[in-house]
Amino acid sequence: MRIFALLALLTLSGCRGWTSTEPPVHPNPNMDTQIKYKPYRESEFFEDKRDMRPRVDGTVARGDLANKDQPVITYKLMQRGRERFNIYCAPCHSAYGDGNGMVGRKLPIKPTTFHSDFMRTQPLQHFVDVMTNGIRTMPSYKHQIPMEDRWAIAVYVRALQELGSKEKK
Ligand code: HEC
């Protein structure tokens, strides 16, 4: 019995803990202490001193290749876009695209109008990306709308914008 008490005492006294300036014993370092770049740190190697490298021009993200193929813009494509837009987008963005659709006006965050200077200067690709990935509180529509139709809708959004800027004048 006494031996147990002694062992317990020894074990507990071992738990005192003390500080040391020596590095901890690290029998198996694996890759814990490798030399590497971390986000937003400085690099001595690159001229601009950034360790996060900018994307090389023309890089296409994995799985994104299909997005890049803008179809030839035809009247037929735009008509298809109008039909799809009125089904999928108009309830929120309105048939005119000012964000005042029946559903949209009830949302806590209003759908963006397409008739702002910012929206007018966006490339068609941006609208396709928004439909594919969603943006902020707007969900993705990639499962409902096939890629060709996303392009068709983007073309129609551009047509609405043209209409809007003509009316403004
Ligand atoms: C359920 C409502 C809803 C539907 C349907 C909807 N949107 Fe939106 N959309 C929103 C809301 C809300 C925002 C603003 C999101 C935010 O700012 O959080 C938005 C924002 C956008 C933007 C702005 C992107 C930017 O750069 O800020 C675009 C473009 C857009 N929608 C396009 C579309 C298109 C095209 C469709 C049809 C395929 C569509 N939306 C369908 C609600 C909707």
Side-chain angles (χ1 to χ4, degrees):
M1 207 56 211
R2 226 177 285 157
I3 187 81
F4 286 120
L6 195 65
L7 273 178
L9 199 71
L10 275 176
T11 315
L12 287 173
S13 65
C15 293
R16 275 188 307 140
W18 63 88
T19 53
S20 161
T21 51
E22 296 296 309
V25 182
H26 203 153
N28 181 9
N30 279 341
M31 291 162 88
D32 294 348
T33 51
Q34 65 180 304
I35 300 169
K36 62 185 170 240
Y37 286 131
K38 293 189 170 170
Y40 298 108
R41 299 266 171 94
E42 195 178 281
S43 158
E44 282 303 311
F45 182 76
F46 297 105
E47 205 156 70
D48 62 7
K49 302 263 189 223
R50 291 190 285 176
D51 70 349
M52 291 167 77
R53 305 311 303 151
R55 199 168 48 174
V56 176
D57 268 352
T59 310
V60 178
R62 192 182 254 230
D64 239 19
L65 200 58
N67 280 4
K68 295 283 160 190
D69 297 332
Q70 176 171 335
V72 180
I73 297 174
T74 59
Y75 186 62
K76 219 178 128 208
L77 187 73
M78 196 199 68
Q79 277 185 313
R80 169 81 182 163
R82 177 173 61 192
E83 191 209 17
R84 298 289 105 183
F85 178 92
N86 285 332
I87 294 169
Y88 288 110
C89 319
C92 287
H93 286 273
S94 93
Y96 177 60
D98 59 3
N100 222 7
M102 295 250 271
V103 177
R105 68 174 87 121
K106 298 231 154 74
L107 293 176
I109 293 173
K110 294 274 162 299
T112 317
T113 174
F114 301 140
H115 302 283
S116 64
D117 287 340
F118 174 75
M119 277 307 176
R120 270 190 224 110
T121 52
Q122 292 305 303
L124 292 184
Q125 177 74 61
H126 177 67
F127 301 107
V128 173
D129 286 343
V130 170
M131 286 179 259
T132 306
N133 304 311
I135 192 166
R136 302 184 299 274
T137 57
M138 181 187 139
S140 152
Y141 281 84
K142 73 172 168 206
H143 297 297
Q144 293 93 321
I145 308 174
M147 185 51 86
E148 313 85 77
D149 283 348
R150 280 174 241 164
W151 278 106
I153 291 172
V155 169
Y156 183 65
V157 168
R158 183 65 90 225
L160 283 175
Q161 291 176 322
E162 286 295 316
L163 184 78
S165 54
K166 284 218 179 75
E167 283 185 346
K168 228 175 78 178
K169 278 182 204 144

